[in-house]
Amino acid sequence: MKRTVPVIIASAVGFVLVIAFFIPRTQAWGETAVLWFNILAAVAFVLGAGNLIKVQLESISARRPGWGFALVTLVAFFTMFIAGMLKIGVFPAGQYPEHAWSGKFDSAGAPFGWMYNYIFSPITATMFASLAFYVASAAFRAFRAKNVEAILLLGTAFVVLIGNTAMARLTDPLPEYLAFLRLDVLVANLMSYVATGVTRAITIGVAVGVAATSLRILLGIDRPYLGRL
Amino acid sequence: MIFDGCRLMAGPALVLLLTWCIATNGALGAPPAPTDVTAEDFPWDDGTNANVRWSFDTAGSDAIQGFRIYRRLTADELAKERVERRVKAAETAFDTSLKSALETATSEATSEEHYFVGDDTPQDRPTKRQAAIDEATKEALKAAAAADGEPLFEFRAIGRAEPDERSFKVTTLARSSSYEFRVTALGIDDSESEAVDAAPVTTRRHAFVGERGFLAAFLFGLCAIIVGAIALARGGFRMKVRRIAGLDALDEAIGRATEMGRPVLFIPGLQDMDNVLTVAGVTILSRVARTAAEYDARLEVPTARSLVMTACRDAVQGAYYAAGRPEAYNPEAIRYITDEQFGYVAYVAGRMVREKPATCIYMGQFYAESLLLSENGNAIHAIQIAGTAETSQLPFFVAACDYTLIGEEFFAASAYLSGEPAQLGSLFGQDIGKMIAVALIVLGVTLATVGAFHVPAAQRAADYLAHTVLKQ
Amino acid sequence: MLQYLSTLDRRVVFLLMGLAVAIPILFPLPLSYKPSVLAQQAFDAIETLPPGSNVVFSFDYDPAASGELQPMANALMYHCGQRKHNLYFMALWAPGAAICSDTIDGILLKRCEGYEYGQNYVELGYQAGLAGVIKIAVTDLRQQFKTDKYGTPLDQIPMMKGIQNLQPMDLLVSVSAGDPGSKEWVQLFVTPFPATKMVTGTTGVQSVSLYTYIPNQIDGMLGAIKGAAEYETIVNAKYPGPDGKPLPELQEGQRRMGPQLTAHLLMVTLIAVGNVVYFMQRKASRRSGHARGAAR
């Protein structure tokens, strides 16, 4: 029973979603199934938040190495949570000026919006910006001309790296019969034909793989949600 | 006499010339109207579409820039249009008459935005302002009532067709409702022909969406092939799977972690359980967890979604039970961090630098964080095995990780690791599906190439394949 | 030297990259760009629309991708504003709505004349639901967006009258950093309803997967900061500021190409140096291998 019921639920809902795409009368059932998932995910968020608080509190109480980070995590979590949930400092919406909570929680000027714009956004942008350093480090370490394929890769990398900068104009003076060697033309051709072709091939393989994996789950051959091998 | 003859001929010649001008280029009038206008319920759809067809003399196609299709407004839509028109008339009248009333009420110009009255005494202002507002309100009510009397055009333009088209698909209609359409021709000089009405048509929901017929055939055909291959495998047919280095290295990588006394870090991607890559990642996690349980290696699984945390806990617990090590299962090793992409990456990167896992396994859906994670793993000299179907992130994993499962290899992992006949059979079916896709590509390319050499049949076949079969 | 380079600490690489990016920001490089075909196509798609056309403008990115996408969003919005198109703003990413408002304040209201809220531009804001938002908005916009971003019912907004869904839109402009984004717009809106043109601005990484859709579904694409710089070049030439010079807000993409040039040159140099070290080490190990063989 413990193993059969989840498999039946997963299979039934999965097949309903597939059928709903083709049979109009069942479309509403598919939309309902998606709504159920959204509700479950929202409820599970409470579980996740509870787990986060529990783990960080344990880290603080046991004074494990790095417990200060756990304290920072909890302070940040509760500050944003309370500021957003209670809509502290939010201006009422124009239509309902007498209701203090009628405005949006992330409206400009409110503490939540301020923290989002001046703390969270710059931190996120900084993390993303650190990619530039990691790319350089990866390029220095990993790009070696060990074999023919690697040499082709390196050649392409040089063309694309230089072709995507102002230095691409250095090849503009090439005569018309050698126009295909201009860097901007080379980059466009590489992206439009070579890269696109490869991407399409991988995408087709992935699509077939997704279909096979989904079918295995619908038929109960794979049961990752059940935790039994 | 010749001169008299010319004068006699001039009149009829002029009439003929004018008639010719009108007939050929419509310079002095509207283009000819379309004929045989019909509307029918779109076949095999969800009941929200209709097809409008018409005929038009192709000789006159040069004189038009297209066709305009109209739909009669329903009773509800008409009522709503009337209300909107009344409101707009009232608003416009209020603004205009209030402004003029205030201007006449004072000796100086008023500011439109604030209706500030200039020369009046402070005591006069409220009274004069109120009188001006009252008068403007009366004018606005009159204008609104007058708007009611104006005829409302009951047909709304819903689309245009090109001069060489003879049909138009109308969408977003209500099911089981009656509609009326009309079609006009648009002249090059923006003139419009007489409208020709089609008979009313009622939309009907059908049992199947016909436009997706080919897609359904492909999908169910592929599923049938996979099921057949599974049955074949269960029946004893031996299937050979090529070696996938990344999956073969899993056991060795986990063993390395055990020897070094450092944890194994598993990241099931950054998306939720509704993403098939995450589901595939969790499936691989159960295999990795079983091996970790058998080798007594410490496993850590930080997740970016709460539902994924729950699913991973179930998967790992089941794996530990299956390995006969239930007491070694630690639920706290699988924890939820944050939904936010870079917050999650910051946690994992920090954890890597502090805990220095010996093995890092990335299996799931990744975005920009792929390089951040794998470069950090490189810095701590961990063995890294990655698998994703996200094509934009594959190059980063290939550059930074020791082993990478590319695209469908990632989906094959579960079957490869288990070795069960049913799972291997699905791999075989998957490969047959790919071969069918390759055959279609070869067919389409051949037809298009032959068609480019002015072979009409090949061109038609290529168009049919591209625009009917594959346009789903 | 060879030994030092082969064991080079990656922090040295980080420092070099930091300098390569910082110096051109502090001392801008005067660079010029020839617009690519794709950037020109994107420009033409907006330019050839009659003034007053309906354009849906989707902000599908967060602050992390702003560095790459904000310049193109500015340029695209300025161009649409100069053409006096009716703009329907929305966001599929939660931070996108705030970025949209900031861009409107900084570009549309500041640099384009005649724009009044509700008359020729409206902010629908962000709705949760990822790609599902597109799916529903394409057939019934009001089911997804009952009010605009500020809580005003759509029925009370003049420019929303008669707009039941996104199908009457003449053009879709999607500035996107990932999922949901341009790809979902192509799959769920432009492919089933091909009457609407589409112009997209994306990150460099995502642009590779979108080439597949050019030119049937996507009429023009701006890929990465280079695409933004090219587009700015075209827009500044056609619509300069009041003093005849390019607007400062529309030079950001070109400004950021300086650090891109130096960073790319650094990466090419690092790759070359790494390969030189690799080959020299291989040669040295072969030589020592031969010497050992000879000694035996």
Side-chain angles (χ1 to χ4, degrees), chain B residues 33-40 51-55 69 166 181-184 194-199:
Chain B
T35 57
D36 302 324
V37 177
T38 56
E40 60 195 16
N51 221 8
V52 180
R53 291 184 203 278
W54 60 91
S55 302
I69 296 91
R166 297 291 180 266
F181 300 96
R182 58 170 49 162
V183 181
T184 62
E194 271 184 35
V196 180
D197 291 355

Side-chain angles (χ1 to χ4, degrees), chain B residues 390-414:
Chain B
E390 183 61 42
T391 47
S392 58
Q393 304 307 315
L394 281 169
F396 300 119
F397 277 141
V398 167
C401 293
D402 299 288
Y403 303 95
T404 306
L405 305 179
I406 297 175
E408 54 188 332
E409 289 178 343
F410 173 59
F411 294 108
S414 162

Side-chain angles (χ1 to χ4, degrees), chain A residues 21-22 44 54 137 141 216 227, chain B residues 209 212 306 318 332 375 426:
Chain A
F21 187 70
F22 298 104
K54 181 183 168 216
S137 156
R141 194 198 65 252
R216 284 204 301 268
Chain B
V209 180
R212 295 173 184 164
S306 322
E332 296 310 322
E375 269 300 294
S426 76

Side-chain angles (χ1 to χ4, degrees), chain B residues 76-427:
Chain B
D76 286 341
E77 286 168 336
L78 274 172
K80 203 170 163 193
E81 287 268 311
R82 288 206 166 87
V83 167
E84 284 172 5
R85 190 172 57 176
R86 217 185 289 157
V87 167
K88 193 168 177 182
E91 281 172 355
T92 311
F94 187 84
D95 273 347
T96 316
S97 80
L98 178 60
K99 182 183 164 205
S100 70
L102 285 170
E103 276 174 358
T104 57
T106 66
S107 57
E108 284 186 355
T110 59
S111 160
E112 260 187 271
E113 283 163 17
H114 300 291
Y115 298 106
F116 178 67
V117 289
D119 238 6
D120 298 329
T121 62
Q123 289 77 19
D124 285 336
R125 281 180 205 167
T127 317
K128 280 202 169 163
R129 182 181 163 76
Q130 190 55 48
I133 291 173
D134 288 343
E135 190 172 327
T137 307
K138 275 190 221 161
E139 293 298 319
L141 289 171
K142 263 196 236 170
D148 269 345
E150 287 173 23
L152 193 67
F153 189 52
E154 294 188 3
F155 278 83
R156 175 184 291 158
I158 54 170
R160 270 182 67 143
E162 296 300 313
D164 56 345
E165 289 178 328
R166 297 291 180 266
S167 68
F168 183 83
K169 182 182 173 188
V170 185
T171 57
T172 62
L173 301 173
R175 284 192 199 113
S176 307
S177 303
S178 178
Y179 290 95
E180 290 176 48
F181 300 96
R182 58 170 49 162
V183 181
T184 62
L186 298 170
I188 289 170
D189 56 353
D190 291 335
S191 59
E192 203 167 349
S193 72
E194 271 184 35
V196 180
D197 291 355
V201 62
T202 304
T203 53
R204 200 166 65 90
R205 182 168 61 182
H206 298 263
F208 185 80
V209 180
E211 279 187 324
R212 295 173 184 164
F214 281 110
L215 178 61
F218 283 137
L219 181 63
F220 292 113
L222 178 64
C223 291
I225 289 169
I226 292 171
V227 169
I230 291 172
L232 206 62
R234 277 189 173 147
F237 185 79
R238 283 181 62 85
M239 285 172 186
K240 193 169 174 305
V241 180
R242 71 167 171 84
R243 299 186 64 78
I244 300 177
L247 296 174
D248 288 341
L250 267 177
D251 284 355
E252 179 202 328
I254 297 170
R256 179 178 185 259
T258 312
E259 284 167 13
M260 296 172 79
R262 283 158 39 183
V264 174
L265 179 70
F266 188 102
I267 300 182
L270 262 76
Q271 291 300 298
D272 215 332
M273 286 301 286
D274 61 340
N275 187 305
V276 73
L277 274 80
T278 308
V279 174
V282 173
T283 308
I284 298 171
L285 170 63
S286 61
R287 312 266 174 225
V288 167
R290 182 168 186 167
T291 309
E294 287 168 359
Y295 288 14
D296 199 22
R298 201 156 40 104
L299 180 66
E300 283 195 18
V301 186
T303 66
R305 295 284 189 275
S306 322
L307 261 185
V308 174
M309 177 191 78
T310 318
C312 288
R313 280 186 172 179
D314 278 344
V316 171
Q317 185 180 28
Y320 274 70
Y321 270 88
R325 300 284 318 279
E327 75 287 351
Y329 168 63
N330 174 18
E332 296 310 322
I334 301 134
R335 62 179 79 100
Y336 165 75
I337 310 303
T338 173
D339 280 36
E340 175 51 39
Q341 181 185 19
F342 288 108
Y344 177 80
V345 169
Y347 170 86
V348 174
R351 192 100 187 141
M352 277 180 178
V353 167
R354 287 190 296 273
E355 300 291 317
K356 291 193 178 21
T359 301
C360 297
I361 304 171
Y362 317 107
M363 297 281 176
Q365 174 87 50
F366 294 90
Y367 296 106
E369 67 283 353
S370 57
L371 187 64
L372 289 170
L373 293 172
S374 47
E375 269 300 294
N376 270 302
N378 231 296
I380 60 170
H381 306 295
I383 283 190
Q384 300 190 96
I385 303 170
T388 185
E390 183 61 42
T391 47
S392 58
Q393 304 307 315
L394 281 169
F396 300 119
F397 277 141
V398 167
C401 293
D402 299 288
Y403 303 95
T404 306
L405 305 179
I406 297 175
E408 54 188 332
E409 289 178 343
F410 173 59
F411 294 108
S414 162
Y416 185 95
L417 290 171
S418 73
E420 288 171 16
Q423 304 246 11
L424 289 177
S426 76
L427 280 189

